[in-house]
Amino acid sequence: MTRPAPERDTARTAQQYDPLGAMGSRPLAIVLGASGVLWALLASVFDRDVVGSPTLSALTVLLLAASGTVVFVASSPFRAPFPRWAFAVHVLLLAAATVTSIAAQWGPDRNALNDFMSLLCATGIVMTAPYRPWSDLAVGGLVLAVVTGASWGVAASVFPADVPTGVAAFLAAAPTLVLTAASVAFAWTFAGLAERVQIRAGSYSVERAERDGIDAAVQQDRTTILTRDVAPFFAELRTKAVITDADRAQARMIADGIRRAMVADADRTWFEQAVRSEGGPDAVVDDPDGLIATLDADQRTVVRTFLRAALRAATVDPAGFRATIRRTGSDDAGPDAAGPRGEGPPTGTTHRPTAGTVAVAIDLAVDDSDVGIHRTFDPYFAVLRVTFPDLDVAVRPSALALRFSYDQH
């Protein structure tokens, strides 16, 4: 049974435009989260102005640890893209930690340096900048700034210091406002630049590269036929004084072979061409309806890149490659919609698969351990996971299986 694809947000993020870059920045988010928890723990134990409530101090540290765990789990490239609900939970946990931090040390604040939540709320937005669109970052940052400013404002009004209450509230919220503005600028600028580059690349580079690759494969096949069959046959005819019936039969056989090769080339999808050119004739593609042709430019580029890397890997046996593509759902037109395999659609018609969901299963034989397979293909899994959110990867010693689906348009 095919799992339904998760809902996608309308605004794309840096992680979706550059999955490998987001995967590379993930250690920074982990370090920031762990450092924040450590700072909160040390400050709560050794550097507070009042004794306060140890229970609320412990709760503050636990809330910070929970927010860091949410970011750690949701930012994994194998759970991409980072969901909005996870970002909302992260912000709510930081807001709750801010309130409990003030409540835990309720009293006159003589040392602003030990008020760690003001800065940790700010870094909490920075941690998620590669994973959420600018609008979410702006809303989350404003929520944390309001909670931080209000909490410190209330404390300053009850325990007056040398600065007005409004100034104390603004100073508490300032780090969050500044780093939120920086995160919003990053997400906005990155998405705009990536979209322009993608539009330009998609307009000609992907299509031209695929066309050139298919043309080269077809040319290679026909050159092989000419070199192996046609040229020797004509060279032999030149030495004969009389053309016999056997020669005519052989000519018809060669002509039929060329025709079959041309029909096969016409029926073969870009996916089959890519598998054949990289993996040879032993690799199997089971796509009777030619559904793989309905991938969009982004999806096609990602799948083609994975195929090239997988079939060129020294540990992968092309003979163990098998891809199965089928339509799922009630609108399945069945395998006969495109005509018998090898003959294409009926004469004078063009087969257009109806809208629906297409399930893709790819199995490879890999002469490596599961750790070695992950080491080789994890970057490709990260990109595939962003492109196909329901990607399921099964890694076993000597075997790799991928399952994903996409919507036809």
Side-chain angles (χ1 to χ4, degrees):
M1 181 180 295
T2 304
R3 295 179 301 167
E7 294 183 3
R8 291 176 180 265
D9 296 327
T10 55
R12 298 188 68 180
T13 66
Q15 183 187 39
Q16 290 171 297
Y17 280 115
D18 183 15
L20 296 182
M23 186 171 67
S25 67
R26 187 170 180 247
L28 176 61
I30 296 173
V31 169
L32 287 176
S35 300
V37 174
L38 180 61
W39 182 21
L41 179 61
L42 294 177
S44 297
V45 174
F46 300 109
D47 192 22
R48 281 300 199 177
D49 295 330
V50 294
V51 176
S53 169
T55 301
L56 289 177
S57 292
L59 179 59
T60 300
V61 175
L62 290 176
L63 289 171
L64 281 173
S67 74
T69 301
V70 168
V71 174
F72 172 77
V73 173
S75 64
S76 169
F78 309 111
R79 295 182 176 88
F82 194 110
R84 177 172 290 165
W85 67 261
F87 177 73
V89 171
H90 171 61
V91 170
L92 291 176
L93 289 171
L94 288 177
T98 300
V99 174
T100 58
S101 175
I102 296 294
Q105 304 297 329
W106 189 251
D109 189 359
R110 300 183 179 88
N111 180 15
L113 295 179
N114 60 22
D115 295 328
F116 50 83
M117 283 308 305
S118 178
L119 185 58
L120 294 186
C121 284
T123 57
I125 297 298
V126 173
M127 290 165 60
T128 56
Y131 307 108
R132 295 307 308 163
W134 68 268
S135 55
D136 287 8
L137 298 173
V139 172
L142 287 176
V143 169
L144 289 178
V146 169
V147 172
T148 303
S151 300
W152 261 272
V154 170
S157 66
V158 176
F159 304 100
D162 297 333
V163 297
T165 300
V167 174
F170 174 77
L171 291 177
T176 301
L177 292 173
V178 170
L179 290 188
T180 294
S183 300
V184 167
F186 161 78
W188 181 305
T189 303
F190 188 98
L193 291 175
E195 185 174 1
R196 287 195 291 272
V197 170
Q198 188 179 61
I199 290 173
R200 183 175 301 175
S203 64
Y204 59 88
S205 299
V206 174
E207 293 180 2
R208 185 174 63 188
E210 290 181 356
R211 184 180 64 247
D212 292 346
I214 291 175
D215 289 345
V218 172
Q219 182 179 6
Q220 181 179 2
D221 289 345
R222 294 178 184 176
T223 300
T224 300
I225 294 174
L226 291 173
T227 303
R228 185 191 61 201
D229 299 326
V230 178
F233 176 66
F234 279 115
E236 183 181 353
L237 285 182
R238 291 180 57 190
T239 63
K240 292 185 176 181
V242 179
I243 298 177
T244 64
D245 291 338
D247 295 328
R248 296 187 183 92
Q250 186 176 358
R252 283 194 296 270
M253 183 180 65
I254 293 174
D256 289 341
I258 294 175
R259 183 183 65 81
R260 284 193 299 270
M262 294 177 67
V263 170
D265 289 335
D267 276 353
R268 199 174 290 139
T269 64
W270 66 270
F271 185 84
E272 292 171 295
Q273 291 284 3
V275 171
R276 193 167 184 268
S277 62
E278 300 293 345
D282 294 330
V284 177
V285 176
D286 183 10
D287 183 15
D289 293 339
L291 297 173
I292 202 69
T294 59
L295 286 170
D296 63 28
D298 287 350
Q299 295 168 334
R300 187 175 299 192
T301 301
V302 171
V303 172
R304 191 181 185 92
T305 301
F306 170 75
L307 287 178
R308 183 179 294 113
L311 292 174
R312 289 183 180 181
T315 56
V316 173
D317 179 10
F321 178 94
R322 182 178 181 85
T324 304
I325 300 96
R326 291 288 189 275
R327 187 185 294 110
T328 62
S330 59
D331 59 346
D332 192 349
D336 295 330
R341 187 60 173 161
E343 298 179 6
T347 304
T349 65
T350 301
H351 173 58
R352 297 181 182 274
T354 58
T357 301
V358 177
V360 180
I362 297 177
D363 297 279
L364 300 97
V366 188
D367 185 17
D368 204 349
S369 65
D370 53 350
V371 175
I373 294 173
H374 273 294
R375 187 183 302 115
T376 302
F377 295 109
D378 270 359
Y380 300 98
F381 297 157
V383 179
L384 283 164
R385 184 68 179 85
V386 169
T387 308
F388 304 100
D390 67 338
L391 175 70
D392 181 36
V393 179
V395 178
R396 300 181 301 276
S398 302
L400 171 61
L402 282 72
R403 303 290 186 268
F404 58 88
S405 64
Y406 65 94
D407 293 330
Q408 292 179 246
H409 300 290

